[in-house]
Amino acid sequence: MIDAHNHLLDFSKILSPDSAQQTILQRARQNGIHTLLCNASCENDWIPILQLAANSNDSPCQVQIPTVIPLLGIHPWYLDKAHPGWEERLYTLLTQHSKALIGETGLDRTTHRAINNSVQENAFLTHLRLGTELHRPVTIHSVRAWESVLSLLKEQSSLPPALLFHAYNGGREYLKPLLRLSTDIYFSFAGTALFERNHRAHEALSLIPIERLLLETDSPYLAGPSEYLTGLIPQSSDKPHSEPSDLRLLLKGFAQLLHTSAEELENRIENNLSRFLSSLTAL
Ligand SMILES: [Zn+2]
């Protein structure tokens, strides 16, 4: 199984540090997760994520952990803390690490993290340009910003080789226009799509071509209903946390929703992720 989007570094904020990531990773491997796409939120994450990815490919005699695929970028929530020159530093790191992807970037129009719209749009465009120039897939965050995300993507004369819309919440209305973009498009869903009341996600799921679908935990965030949480990390009652191991349960929930078997869905997702990453192997 593959977790198409998470924030492994943030487990150190929840669990006692040092061993936190390692424990989560080992448990994920024991639960059949062989690959994780680990996203950066801010510049401070870039080097630790690259190290995590390098360690995951190390000696096979170590305790088994999943392969960590690194994504570098600045999440729209943290653009106010970005230091001048981040664009050049991101470019340099990406050129030094040919297997690194770009993420997470995008637009967020919710008010609890009010970052100026033009700051968000400029940063989003920078990430897109880097993805196009360096031929790297890009993971996109969009909340209440689909009109702007779509029009910015349509304005580009060329796009990165693949785009992943993480925790897709655009509903049915944006599916067709997004699928018409001139690049390889994927929609990823997290546990929150399994809440019974999330009709918007269920409708989108029923309409997305299965070859465009990915699953994610967005862990430690976006925890789904309690029956889809392995519950192995400490849970606070107001805001439960997810972890990559939950994917084993999520897969069953999504298979049920899509009227297919967990095995069939797992195979589809493995193929989809290989296609999403195929531009990297072509480098
Ligand atoms: Zn994320």
Side-chain angles (χ1 to χ4, degrees), residues 15 34 86 177-178 180 185 215 217 240 271 280 283:
L15 303 170
H34 62 73
W86 66 266
L178 290 169
R180 269 191 231 115
I185 301 294
L215 298 183
T217 60
N271 287 333
L280 293 182
L283 283 175

Side-chain angles (χ1 to χ4, degrees), residues 5 7 104 166 218:
H5 184 100
H7 296 270
E104 106 180 58
H166 115 84
D218 195 31

